[in-house]
Amino acid sequence: MGRNKEQWLIDRRTFLKATGVGVAGAAIGRFPFESFSLDEAMAAAAKAGETAVPTFCAMCGPAANCGVYAFTKNGRFIRVAGMKESPVNAGAVCPKGQAAPQWVYSPDRLKYPLKRVGKKGEGKFQRIPWDEAINIIADTLKRQKQKYGPESLGMLSPARRTYSEYLYRFLIAHGSPNYGHSGICAMQMSFTFSYTVGDWPRAVDYANSDLVLVWGKQPIYQGPAQAGVKAYVNAKARGAKIIAIKPSVEPDVGLADEWVPIRPGTDAALALAMLHVVVSENLVDQRFVEQWCYGYDQLKDHVQKYPPAWAEKITGIPSDRIAEVARLFATTKRAGIDLGNGVEHVPSSNDAIRAVAILISITGHLDRPGGNVFGAASKMPRPKSVHLKERYTQEWVDKLVYPEFPKRFQPFIEGTSSAYYGMLESVLTEEPYPMRAIIAPGTQALASTRGSKRVVEALKKLEFYVVVDVARTADMPYADIVIPTSTPYEMDHPFEVRDNFIMARNRVIEPLGDYKSIFEFLCDLGGKMGYGADFWGGSMEASMNDQLKPLGMTIDELRKHPTGIKYEMISREYENYETVFKRKSPRISGAPFLPQGKVAIYNTSFKEAGYNPLPEWKEPPESITGTPQLTKKYPLILSDYHTSNVYTASWQRNVPYLREIQPYPALHIHPEAASERGIENGDWVRVESPHGWLKVKAEIYPGIRPDTVMILHGWWQGCKEIGFKDFPLLDGGANVNIMYSVDREKAFDPIVTAMSSQTLVQVMKA
Amino acid sequence: MSTQYGFSFAKDRCVQCYGCEVACKSWREAELGVRWRRVHSIWQGRYPKVKNLSASVSCMHCADPACVKVCPAQAIRKREEDGIVTVDGGKCIGCKACSKACAFGAPQFGANGKMQKCDMCLNEADLSKDFPPCVETCPTQALRLGKMETNEKIGIEQDIQKLIAT
């Protein structure tokens, strides 16, 4: 939650007073400036012959929802200013948000529906009208549904967005459980935490913490204008100690007090060794363990196998350092672990996450001041869900092609889901059946998931592939139909909800071609398929009015509050164990997450499903300790960053103002590792793994483990305005996804299907 | 001139988001390749005790600007009334002497070959009331602007110079 406007202004005034720097007033200069209130934005726009439209930023996700005023002149979107009133960003805007107009007007935008005329992969298309595109898709899906059953249709999921629920709605109306979740972000942590402590206590109570372990997380790059970053910086300023546990130093680590450089993919080993320390030295919260934990005695025996000296070999962290961090965490009363999605990119993901959840719990840091706290609630009535979850049955679940979580744990909170990569893999293996049609809305199978070489084969073989996006995607050449869609700046729906805040989206500019929003695409397609009754007769206004009923208002009434409506929060209390530990799971049976009503240290749910009841260590497919025979040829560990300060995952390389800041795919390499190989800063290098090779630029990076190299994920797209061409998608390009094993036994977490993003490589001058 | 406008920068609050750099470009419609403001990533120490620091640097509108002294065309001027350093594109001959003299990498040269740089948005904002976009967009208020004593300003210039020379 962001601070409210008043608090923000008070903070700023105090801050400025303290530093003796001038005080800002509310008046306007000749030129409309940043961080406006509604009146200021309107006045400034009027003065300059411009229009200011209150709306949301759309440059990252999931569910980021920073408030902005978008300025237009003569119908053209020219720039944005932060919305002071928004509790999400309180007037701040990050570089992605600032560069939005360049994204909207990029030459890469798709403006007309396209139909493939050449071979798959050739990239030859013919322009067709919107209605014809909808007809072709509807005819194909109807035919396939009859021939192969509705489950033969899958949707690849983007990072969770407002339209995710509409995708589910379409699949459910159609009869398919196959929503392909990418398995790289959020749901793995949510799943494992929920089945261990009843909920996902993702938030560290930064305002009250004396110690935070920022672990496998980049707390800044996603949503730097939001409350999390301010909480981090303010905690630091207040004197809280921050220890960063990650393979390399990013700006957040730059601000941290200490850095614990860990080998990529070994978080489970570190967490198990920390459990060993706190259990052996009896640094646990005795009362909490007795009252609220199930299976502590089994854990005590179990962790004997994992002393710090064992973990040192795997993690590369000295054993005394492991013990020191474990002791400090256990003995600091107000301490939390801010766990990031680094732990969701490893085949030991579920075990890493539950080991951390157990560590937080037994040391007495669960839902306590300064610790990992359960979510707070607000007084806002929740808008009606557009998901059709009530239609789920066991039969439905049983049809999943490659369940993201085992079938007995489906559906999970988002709905039923197959693993994104697994769904594509089914096209090749035809096990248990092949997907016949896949729709890719706002996601790129060749850039988003691992195993691009297999993905290309799957896309070649797939009967019907529909790409739905605002701009050219990596896998568009394989599409049968391409549906262009509006950017959120070109549409007036949907409204957005964040915690206790709700606001309408307003249209900034008209669409630039023959296309509609993704919502309207689904409504049109739903209508054509005969599912019109589930799609509000094709009206998004009717859809929003329906959803807003619990709030007692219509979308027109919500629009009368251009900067949204903020409801009161219900004040937070700690130690909500009684209620949270009884929470029901979203499974068909509705059985609670925690069968004993206690923290599941010894996890009987997992045991009954045939998995280990206690967390264990599993090596990545290739690693220094797991496959030492490979280290002669491939001496360095490779992993990747999920997102960066200027790019959200695999998009935005085509935005010139952002590309200027980070022009090339950069391999972070330690000065020693570089000099041993005669590599200098900015050299083009060849990076070789057992699965493929990349050609990228070396960035000599003092803040990385000398045995590890890392690169940003998602590189393929060029930037026409500054003359940068696309990179090849497979060998010789910059797409790190080709570098990893996709071996079904070794590369996946057995419960949560997280995929490995660690391998071994050699690096040489190109 | 007892007080003048100047930027100040709290390095322990900057998270290197680059919001300031892109806000500057977007609001001033900068041509590609020109960076009036630049975020620096600075390394200190040796592994594993390595630190990463940040600096957001534009023209510092120095109390005693080196560029003014070296400009053979008298195209650069420090304004008496508020200390803002301005450049007159009409007079600039594009010799880049200012570029060599500046410790902050402020002078930029675009397609027209004339020197351009941060002007503190002096024609766009009433600095007694408004902040320029680079300052307003900063999520952590690491970058600030205001009137300050000349001595204080010189201190800030020296700190930034030391930081980016690391």
Side-chain angles (χ1 to χ4, degrees):
Chain A
M1 259 319 305
R3 285 168 293 175
N4 63 32
K5 179 190 171 192
E6 293 71 30
Q7 188 56 46
W8 185 75
L9 289 171
I10 291 163
D11 285 359
R12 190 165 76 160
R13 231 172 279 135
T14 321
F15 193 77
L16 293 169
K17 211 170 144 195
T19 50
V21 179
V23 173
I28 309 294
R30 291 207 299 121
F31 197 61
F33 264 169
E34 289 289 275
S35 190
F36 285 104
S37 69
L38 181 68
D39 293 346
E40 290 164 352
M42 295 301 163
K47 208 178 230 175
E50 298 173 354
T51 309
V53 182
T55 193
F56 296 99
C57 181
M59 298 298 279
C60 78
N65 304 342
C66 284
V68 294
Y69 295 105
F71 288 83
T72 66
K73 189 158 195 169
N74 303 324
R76 193 175 167 90
F77 175 28
I78 48 174
R79 69 182 96 80
V80 304
M83 181 186 282
K84 250 185 221 174
E85 297 93 334
S86 170
V88 179
N89 57 318
V93 181
C94 78
K96 299 167 194 173
Q98 290 284 1
Q102 289 188 333
W103 178 64
V104 171
Y105 294 107
S106 166
D108 278 344
R109 281 298 302 281
L110 299 168
K111 294 183 181 163
Y112 314 99
L114 301 170
K115 182 174 123 181
R116 180 170 60 81
V117 290
K119 282 188 205 144
K120 289 213 178 205
E122 225 180 347
K124 283 192 187 154
F125 293 97
Q126 174 196 323
R127 180 176 160 179
I128 54 171
W130 178 268
D131 289 344
E132 187 184 334
I134 299 290
N135 283 339
I136 294 173
I137 300 171
D139 289 347
T140 310
L141 296 187
K142 279 184 201 165
R143 184 171 44 77
Q144 290 185 339
K145 183 176 180 175
Q146 205 174 18
K147 197 166 170 193
Y148 308 113
E151 65 274 21
S152 64
L153 168 68
M155 294 251 193
L156 296 176
S157 121
R160 180 150 180 86
R161 321 217 137 238
T162 317
Y163 60 84
S164 302
E165 291 221 331
Y166 289 76
L167 302 179
Y168 265 116
R169 190 175 184 96
F170 185 86
L171 282 171
I172 291 173
H174 187 70
S176 173
N178 289 316
Y179 180 86
H181 184 258
S182 60
I184 53 172
C185 181
M187 281 306 108
Q188 280 52 38
M189 271 199 277
S190 179
F191 177 89
T192 306
F193 268 108
S194 295
Y195 279 100
T196 306
V197 301
D199 199 350
W200 181 16
R202 65 189 302 177
V204 169
D205 187 13
Y206 269 94
N208 295 302
S209 206
D210 294 325
L211 170 70
V212 184
L213 308 186
V214 177
W215 188 335
K217 173 159 178 159
Q218 215 306 343
I220 287 165
Y221 289 168
Q222 202 83 344
Q226 304 195 356
V229 173
K230 289 167 200 163
Y232 184 95
V233 172
N234 290 340
K236 176 85 183 84
R238 195 172 46 76
K241 182 166 186 155
I242 291 172
I243 299 180
I245 304 172
K246 355 202 263 188
S248 80
V249 170
E250 296 175 279
D252 59 298
V253 187
L255 293 175
D257 296 277
E258 292 177 26
W259 174 40
V260 178
I262 184 171
R263 283 187 188 141
T266 66
D267 310 275
L270 173 63
L272 286 165
M274 288 172 73
L275 282 173
H276 176 100
V277 174
V278 302
V279 166
S280 318
E281 300 181 14
N282 199 22
L283 303 175
V284 301
D285 181 327
Q286 227 38 274
R287 271 181 71 177
F288 181 84
V289 167
E290 275 161 31
Q291 198 179 348
W292 293 114
C293 292
Y294 177 78
Y296 180 69
D297 290 339
Q298 289 97 316
L299 179 77
K300 256 169 124 173
D301 295 339
H302 178 73
V303 296
Q304 292 314 308
K305 303 188 256 192
Y306 306 119
W310 163 84
E312 174 174 336
K313 292 196 191 87
I314 294 165
T315 61
I317 307 167
S319 60
D320 52 354
R321 186 80 174 121
I322 295 173
E324 185 189 5
V325 173
R327 282 181 204 126
L328 185 67
F329 177 68
T331 56
T332 304
K333 195 166 178 211
R334 291 170 178 248
I337 297 180
D338 198 352
L339 194 64
N341 64 22
V343 297
E344 293 173 302
H345 299 228
V346 283
S348 56
S349 177
N350 183 58
D351 285 343
I353 299 163
R354 60 174 158 153
V356 169
I358 294 168
L359 183 64
I360 291 166
S361 304
I362 64 174
T363 52
H365 294 113
L366 185 64
D367 212 24
R368 294 246 172 95
N372 286 74
V373 291
F374 295 123
S378 88
K379 292 186 177 164
M380 176 166 69
R382 302 308 289 177
K384 202 168 134 191
S385 164
V386 296
H387 206 299
L388 297 168
K389 276 181 187 160
E390 59 280 8
R391 298 192 194 167
Y392 282 139
T393 59
Q394 191 57 45
E395 196 189 349
W396 197 284
V397 166
D398 288 340
K399 287 195 292 193
L400 279 162
V401 71
Y402 194 128
E404 181 182 20
F405 309 111
K407 286 178 181 171
R408 63 193 296 151
F409 297 107
Q410 294 256 10
F412 186 51
I413 54 168
E414 284 196 327
T416 56
S417 58
S418 281
Y420 187 113
Y421 176 82
M423 221 161 78
L424 291 157
E425 181 84 6
S426 79
V427 176
L428 295 172
T429 62
E430 308 196 354
E431 291 292 333
Y433 59 87
M435 300 308 296
R436 303 283 176 171
I438 293 180
I439 299 177
T443 183
Q444 334 187 39
L446 282 171
S448 303
T449 191
R450 311 304 182 186
S452 309
K453 290 181 179 177
R454 292 283 284 173
V455 173
V456 164
E457 294 311 311
L459 293 181
K460 278 185 195 157
K461 191 180 167 198
L462 180 63
E463 278 183 37
F464 192 61
Y465 190 46
V466 180
V467 164
V468 184
D469 217 307
V470 299
R472 214 163 53 89
T473 68
D475 29 295
M476 196 175 114
Y478 298 90
D480 294 276
I481 297 288
V482 177
I483 297 286
T485 55
S486 316
T487 63
Y489 302 100
E490 297 158 283
M491 58 209 210
D492 64 357
H493 53 265
F495 59 82
E496 298 273 358
V497 173
R498 169 87 172 245
D499 302 321
N500 60 335
F501 177 65
I502 182 167
M503 191 176 103
R505 179 185 304 281
N506 291 304
R507 180 179 281 123
V508 179
I509 51 165
E510 293 301 318
L512 309 175
D514 179 20
Y515 56 79
K516 301 182 184 181
S517 75
I518 188 163
F519 302 89
E520 290 162 326
F521 162 68
L522 292 167
C523 286
D524 284 3
L525 185 61
K528 208 78 208 162
M529 295 292 297
Y531 313 144
D534 283 333
F535 283 88
W536 309 276
S539 161
M540 276 305 292
E541 191 184 341
S543 164
M544 291 191 285
N545 285 340
D546 186 33
Q547 294 170 61
L548 286 169
K549 272 180 194 153
L551 284 84
M553 67 173 90
T554 62
I555 184 65
D556 281 344
E557 284 161 354
L558 179 60
R559 278 192 212 286
K560 287 184 188 140
H561 305 265
T563 56
I565 303 173
K566 216 168 73 183
Y567 290 77
E568 233 181 286
M569 291 299 283
I570 296 167
S571 64
R572 182 201 295 288
E573 285 176 20
Y574 297 99
E575 304 194 13
N576 297 292
Y577 311 130
E578 196 81 56
T579 45
V580 171
F581 291 173
K582 274 191 217 146
R583 270 185 76 216
K584 287 197 162 149
S585 75
R587 286 174 286 187
I588 301 287
S589 68
F593 282 117
L594 306 176
Q596 294 81 21
K598 293 180 172 186
V599 173
I601 295 178
Y602 185 88
N603 199 311
T604 55
S605 310
F606 292 166
K607 190 179 178 211
E608 281 161 23
Y611 303 101
N612 199 304
L614 290 158
E616 291 190 322
W617 166 238
K618 180 183 178 183
E619 286 280 358
E622 292 105 20
S623 68
I624 288 178
T625 43
T627 54
Q629 71 280 9
L630 289 177
T631 55
K632 202 165 171 207
K633 189 165 179 202
Y634 304 109
L636 297 168
I637 306 164
L638 170 76
S639 187
D640 61 83
Y641 304 103
H642 190 47
T643 206
S644 88
N645 42 8
V646 291
Y647 304 125
T648 302
S650 55
W651 26 306
Q652 297 161 347
R653 305 308 194 282
N654 62 332
V655 179
Y657 281 160
L658 301 178
R659 190 65 183 263
E660 283 186 311
I661 293 171
Q662 219 179 107
Y664 298 104
L667 183 82
H668 288 174
I669 184 166
H670 189 272
E672 281 166 24
S675 76
E676 280 166 20
R677 292 165 174 78
I679 293 166
E680 286 177 38
N681 200 36
D683 281 350
W684 285 99
V685 291
R686 183 183 166 105
V687 189
E688 260 181 38
S689 87
H691 310 284
W693 67 278
L694 304 176
K695 189 182 163 190
V696 294
K697 276 205 172 194
E699 180 179 341
I700 307 296
Y701 203 83
I704 190 165
R705 292 184 57 87
D707 60 7
T708 299
V709 290
M710 292 195 49
I711 187 171
L712 179 63
H713 139 279
W715 282 100
W716 70 273
Q717 193 175 18
C719 181
K720 292 196 177 85
E721 293 91 325
I722 44 181
F724 282 2
K725 293 202 176 90
D726 291 356
F727 295 104
L729 280 164
L730 304 179
D731 284 330
N735 175 11
V736 72
N737 295 312
I738 64 165
M739 301 293 277
Y740 306 120
S741 166
V742 286
D743 183 294
R744 190 153 180 172
E745 296 304 312
K746 295 178 191 159
F748 291 82
D749 184 284
I751 302 189
V752 299
T753 62
M755 287 180 85
S756 175
S757 64
Q758 304 79 34
T759 186
L760 295 173
V761 293
Q762 181 54 294
V763 179
M764 62 205 86
K765 271 179 93 155
Chain B
M1 202 184 330
S2 66
T3 64
Q4 49 184 304
Y5 282 111
F7 289 106
S8 67
F9 176 73
K11 65 178 187 299
D12 49 354
R13 294 188 71 84
C14 176
V15 297
Q16 262 177 56
C17 81
Y18 286 79
C20 50
E21 190 172 324
V22 180
C24 171
K25 288 184 170 188
S26 175
W27 282 79
R28 300 303 303 275
E29 294 166 17
E31 61 185 296
L32 295 176
V34 164
R35 297 168 92 169
W36 288 8
R37 175 166 290 284
R38 182 185 295 259
V39 177
H40 296 249
S41 167
I42 301 145
W43 293 108
Q44 278 182 354
R46 285 177 65 83
Y47 180 89
K49 301 246 175 220
V50 62
K51 275 284 189 196
N52 182 261
L53 302 171
S54 317
S56 170
V57 183
S58 69
C59 170
M60 294 298 291
H61 302 271
C62 298
D64 184 17
C67 56
V68 172
K69 284 183 211 151
V70 300
C71 179
Q74 284 88 49
I76 314 170
R77 173 171 94 87
K78 185 167 176 73
R79 300 185 352 153
E80 262 307 309
E81 61 273 34
D82 51 19
I84 298 175
V85 175
T86 60
V87 53
D88 181 343
K91 286 188 186 166
C92 173
I93 55 168
C95 71
K96 299 192 178 174
C98 51
S99 207
K100 288 193 195 86
C102 176
F104 302 100
Q108 300 285 299
F109 296 86
N112 73 2
K114 309 278 188 189
M115 196 268 263
Q116 50 173 292
K117 65 169 191 67
C118 164
D119 58 9
M120 255 185 210
C121 292
L122 73 104
N123 291 320
E124 328 289 351
D126 176 351
L127 292 177
S128 68
K129 297 172 190 152
D130 301 334
F131 282 151
C134 53
V135 172
E136 276 291 11
T137 209
C138 179
T140 58
Q141 289 123 21
L143 181 67
R144 293 184 305 275
L145 177 135
K147 277 218 159 166
M148 52 183 74
E149 301 288 328
T150 301
N151 282 344
E152 186 190 353
K153 182 158 169 41
I154 293 170
I156 291 171
E157 289 165 20
Q158 288 169 343
D159 286 351
I160 293 278
Q161 201 175 335
K162 241 184 269 166
L163 195 59
I164 60 176
T166 313

